[in-house]
């Protein structure tokens, strides 16, 4: 087995760009396993790709190579990066995509500059194909990260959405709206107060155990599969019902405190 | 070769949920072949997923594992199932997804409860990742279905769309509208009378041999690739032209009988 | 390793047709690697599929089998084709899909008629599954192209969009609009005059090095990743800004000639 490469881009699936990257990878590493995470990242939305990576990476075997190409600066001055974190590898442009990895311990980053791990001709517009895909293929073959270029001490790190303590509990924001209209927030399971009540868009909602545990149409909070607080409408779309989008403030207070008579 | 796992969900491809399930599967069974059937099942539409399964399963090699996650009841009381039918295997929630399999002979079903075939931590919201994907990976490794839990005698079976005889021929309904606007019906090739004429939305149509055998814009019936009667508009959309959707009644009479003067 | 098969269709990903073709292929050739180029070709748009093929094929290893099914004539009289070009193989309906291959040298084409390389039952509506997928699987196993049927001397060739010299430089047209609204043209890098200035929809634009090298909102030409001139709006959609679509005329003149005072 010659390793796994995951692919995350904003290229969509209408044009053959993702398939072309896979052709390049298989030309270098014919046995590698290729897994799409998503190619429907909103165009140039680096944070959205970073969140997808955060959700998926822990469920892949150690040693997986994660190739991420959301690259508004292609052809400009931005660096390419190879990051090693434990046995996992990450490759893509240095624009904050790897923030969740960089917030952890024990990573090393290298500039992606060695010409022997690129295609012979590098276009100005498609480094996913000409630079990042060949690097991912070589990483999956076991090429050591330091072979790709000089160490990078200061890879770009995005301000990472977090929750903050408030007198009443915790406050955060909507960081992503999924296909079902569920609102994914910056508040994590461990941030929640006892007996939590969610406030969003002027509405209150209890925190339920699962989507199926509330009546259809009910607004609920719940801890989603990535360990983040989500706001959902059972059998419906919280985004539509509440009319909110990414960035909307979300607060959680303790129901026991705010309604001691309960 | 360590087997094939197909994946059918209503998760879409914008979020990394399908990719995450694949990471889980490859961590358990690194050599398995993964094939997407569709991830664009309408949200919670169990019947639509069952029809996709009915169309695709006969064309996969014996021994394929079919993983289906359309799961409105996740986190609630519904069971998980492993089904063996011949050498084929099916895994997913017990909500009717496997009706076309259960209508056949010679199946055995088991409750998906053995903890050793799940992830160590099972979330309340993503059993696709935590319960069903690991089970599929183990099934593809050859783990026997009875190892997953107790036999289930009464798996959920949906009312399955069928055709009924009428004095004039046969009657049924539209059960699916495909991407091209073709109307897939509950009437099968074997149900058709001699010299069949299709009635739908107040219009009549002959049954043609193929899409290409009628003039552009013509309304035709034809027996589609799954053996079901379809209603199509050559080079157009029958759904748009007729203004009908799933559930619309469709009848077929014998042209020879209804027009004996012909 | 038993070869690579790429798949290009207009089937979309909502219905399980692509997955079904993959089941057929894996039943014949269990070790083959499957790569999707695109399944979102506009319905029946043969030229669009041919352009996808032109962009992707050079980046796959020699010996790859390219399966293309955009097939408005399915069930009619059109032939099926197997084409050998060097070690690469192509399979699909004979309707012009393979024009970029046929414009090159050294190809041989064969009619896809040998019954032993089809499914036992061939439907009238889904040759992708019943005829072309089995042929691709056998080609990837190493079956020689001449085994599939008689030589074809006159495969269908589409009028291929090209550029023409003009007194001022070169003229062509928009041949594709990508997901980002970039306009892909029939003009190639080698066609461009010195100091090129692009004229499209009454606007002029310089030819930039890369997307990132111009200010947001600026209209630019650039040589895209397939070697074709593209018209783009940095961080925006040229298609929306200019209100143009496929077929719009594009001209390039030499800035040095038209503005000698510069």
């Amino acid at each position: 087995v010659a390793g796994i490469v995951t692919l995350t881009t904003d290229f969509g699936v209408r044009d053959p760009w993702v398939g072309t990257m896979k052709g390049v990878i298989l030309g270098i590493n014919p046995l590698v396993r290729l897994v799409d995470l998503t190619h429907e990242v909103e165009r140039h939305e680096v944070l959205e790709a970073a969140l997808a990576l955060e959700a998926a990476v822990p469920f892949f075997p150690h040693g997986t190579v994660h190739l991420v190409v959301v690259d508004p600066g292609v052809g400009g001055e931005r660096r390419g990066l190879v990051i090693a974190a434990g046995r996992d590898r990450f490759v893509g442009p240095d624009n904050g995509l790897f923030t969740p990895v960089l917030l952890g311990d024990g990573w090393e980053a290298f500039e992606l500059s060695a010409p022997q791990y690129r295609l012979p001709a590098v276009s100005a517009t498609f480094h996913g194909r000409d630079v990042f895909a060949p690097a991912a293929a070589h990483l999956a073959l076991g090429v050591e990260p330091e072979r790709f270029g000089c160490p990078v001490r200061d890879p770009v790190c995005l301000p990472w959405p977090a929750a903050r303590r408030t007198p009443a509990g915790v406050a955060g924001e909507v960081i992503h709206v999924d296909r079902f209209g569920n609102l994914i927030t910056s508040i994590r399971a461990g941030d929640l107060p006892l007996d939590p009540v969610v406030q969003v868009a002027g509405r209150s909602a209890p925190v339920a155990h699962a989507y199926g545990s509330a009546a259809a149409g009910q607004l609920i909070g719940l801890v989603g599969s990535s360990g983040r607080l989500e706001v959902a409408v059972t059998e419906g779309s919280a985004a539509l019902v509440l009319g909110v989008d990414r960035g909307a403030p979300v607060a959680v207070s303790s129901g026991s405190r705010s309604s001691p008579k309960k």
Side-chain angles (χ1 to χ4, degrees), chain A:
Chain A
V1 184
I4 299 170
V5 172
T6 76
L7 298 96
T8 303
T9 75
D10 60 356
F11 295 166
V13 295
R14 211 186 104 195
D15 294 297
W17 311 134
V18 171
T20 302
M21 290 200 298
K22 292 178 179 174
V24 168
I25 293 171
L26 289 169
I28 294 166
N29 186 339
L31 295 175
V32 76
R33 310 302 307 273
L34 299 167
V35 179
D36 299 304
L37 291 189
T38 173
H39 300 293
E40 301 294 342
V41 172
E42 193 71 26
R43 185 187 186 187
H44 293 172
E45 286 291 344
V46 170
L47 176 62
E48 189 180 321
L51 286 166
L53 207 60
E54 180 195 53
V57 165
F59 294 91
F60 278 82
H62 292 300
T64 295
V65 177
H66 299 283
L67 167 59
V68 191
V69 190
V70 176
D71 196 10
V74 64
E77 294 297 309
R78 65 102 188 90
R79 297 177 291 201
L81 282 186
V82 167
I83 299 174
R87 288 159 53 204
D88 294 342
R89 302 288 179 262
F90 300 86
V91 58
D94 181 22
N95 59 17
L97 286 170
F98 304 111
T99 301
V101 181
L102 299 171
L103 293 176
D105 291 329
W107 54 265
E108 291 185 292
F110 302 91
E111 187 167 357
L112 187 45
S113 57
Q116 68 267 38
Y117 301 123
R118 306 176 160 205
L119 293 195
V122 173
S123 69
T125 55
F126 195 3
H127 286 194
R129 177 191 69 191
D130 303 333
V131 176
F132 299 121
H138 283 102
L139 283 165
L141 283 174
V143 173
E144 292 297 332
E146 57 266 33
R147 301 275 299 276
F148 289 85
C150 295
V152 172
R153 309 282 174 209
D154 58 345
V156 174
C157 232
L158 296 178
W160 197 241
R164 60 180 191 285
R165 300 264 146 230
T166 61
V170 63
E173 62 185 284
V174 173
I175 58 174
H176 183 54
V177 178
D178 78 11
R179 158 178 157 100
F180 298 142
N182 300 318
L183 312 173
I184 320 302
T185 78
S186 61
I187 300 170
R188 296 180 158 284
D191 301 327
L192 293 176
L194 206 69
D195 193 9
V197 175
V198 182
Q199 276 98 30
V200 55
R203 302 269 302 268
S204 287
V207 172
H209 175 63
Y211 296 111
S213 56
Q218 198 183 329
L219 183 72
I220 55 170
L222 80 170
V223 175
S225 54
S226 302
R228 292 184 175 279
L229 177 71
E230 303 183 13
V231 178
V233 166
T234 307
E235 306 270 332
S237 163
L240 281 178
V241 166
L242 299 178
V244 305
D245 203 345
R246 204 159 46 163
V250 178
V252 185
S253 57
S254 172
S256 342
R257 286 180 50 180
S258 64
S259 327
K261 62 184 173 287
K262 175 189 166 185

